Amino acid sequence: VPVYRCMAWLIAIALCSTCAFADAEMSWEPPQPPRNAALIYYRAFLMFNPLAPRTDKAADEALRKLLEEGVYDDAALSPWLDSNRAAITLLVQGAAVDECDFGVQFDQGPAALLPELARARGVARLGVAAMAQALAQGDYANALELFEAVLALARGVSCEATVIGSLVAATLVDAASGQAPALLAALCGRTALLERIRNTLDDAA
């Protein structure tokens, strides 16, 4: 008899669970996309694989030349870019969200922690390298999308309304601007893309 009782209880629990699941399924609504770009950027920061200068000297030097001289070395940088495709995708996704609030605790005054600034700098440099790679491959629409994404991250950082945040935002804009002449030259004759970059630059001004 106890065995039959146990089976009855199990069947009853299974039926209740099924009904509960059915009710939940009927009332389920698809989740809304993030309304705060910072949530997407934080995911990009988590996925980001920074360069290790001591062990990857060639890539580190190639990134320096890209940022300072605008020279892109695909052989040195493509392995790093390939390892960061998820972070690059999230960088672009974050740019599609207008609001960006990193949740700075202003009530702490000068003691407020700003860990996102260093991470934003690293991901923005990654975006610049990805933009240079896209230009080298003739993928101009992707290059423009990455240019817009880096500027959007810079805008998000500047929205912190902190002095150091504004300084970091300026360095991000400078990093992206280094590729702007090559991007504009590549877009010559492509009216729709040129109009996009004109609007992007107007928004960044």
Side-chain angles (χ1 to χ4, degrees):
V1 177
V3 173
Y4 291 115
R5 287 182 179 176
C6 288
M7 291 180 64
W9 275 108
L10 289 173
I11 293 171
I13 292 171
L15 289 173
C16 289
S17 299
T18 302
C19 292
F21 179 77
D23 289 340
E25 201 170 30
M26 290 176 60
S27 61
W28 182 84
E29 294 182 1
Q32 297 298 314
R35 298 179 180 178
N36 182 2
L39 297 176
I40 302 175
Y41 291 141
Y42 275 129
R43 290 168 57 207
F45 301 161
L46 290 171
M47 300 299 296
F48 175 54
N49 298 312
L51 279 174
R54 292 184 180 179
T55 58
D56 201 348
K57 295 180 180 180
D60 186 62
E61 177 63 16
L63 181 60
R64 184 195 65 78
K65 284 188 176 181
L66 173 65
L67 295 172
E68 295 180 2
E69 304 171 23
V71 178
Y72 175 68
D73 183 344
D74 189 65
L77 289 173
S78 61
W80 179 55
L81 289 169
D82 289 341
S83 72
N84 274 296
R85 290 302 168 191
I88 293 169
T89 298
L90 289 167
L91 171 65
V92 173
Q93 290 177 356
V97 181
D98 292 331
E99 183 182 349
C100 185
D101 181 3
F102 283 106
V104 179
Q105 295 175 285
F106 291 107
D107 59 310
Q108 295 184 358
L113 300 177
L114 305 171
E116 68 280 359
L117 295 181
R119 292 170 173 80
R121 188 167 175 258
V123 170
R125 287 179 167 183
L126 172 70
V128 171
M131 178 173 65
Q133 183 185 57
L135 281 172
Q137 295 173 346
D139 190 353
Y140 305 131
N142 187 32
L144 176 54
E145 188 174 52
L146 288 161
F147 179 70
E148 293 170 336
V150 174
L151 292 184
L153 178 54
R155 184 168 60 249
V157 169
S158 69
C159 285
E160 284 189 348
T162 62
V163 173
I164 189 170
S166 297
L167 292 174
V168 170
T171 65
L172 304 191
V173 172
D174 285 343
S177 298
Q179 293 298 307
L183 180 60
L184 287 169
L187 296 183
C188 184
R190 294 173 170 81
T191 307
L193 293 180
L194 280 173
E195 185 63 24
R196 265 183 59 184
I197 195 171
R198 181 178 302 161
N199 293 335
T200 298
L201 294 173
D202 287 344
D203 291 341

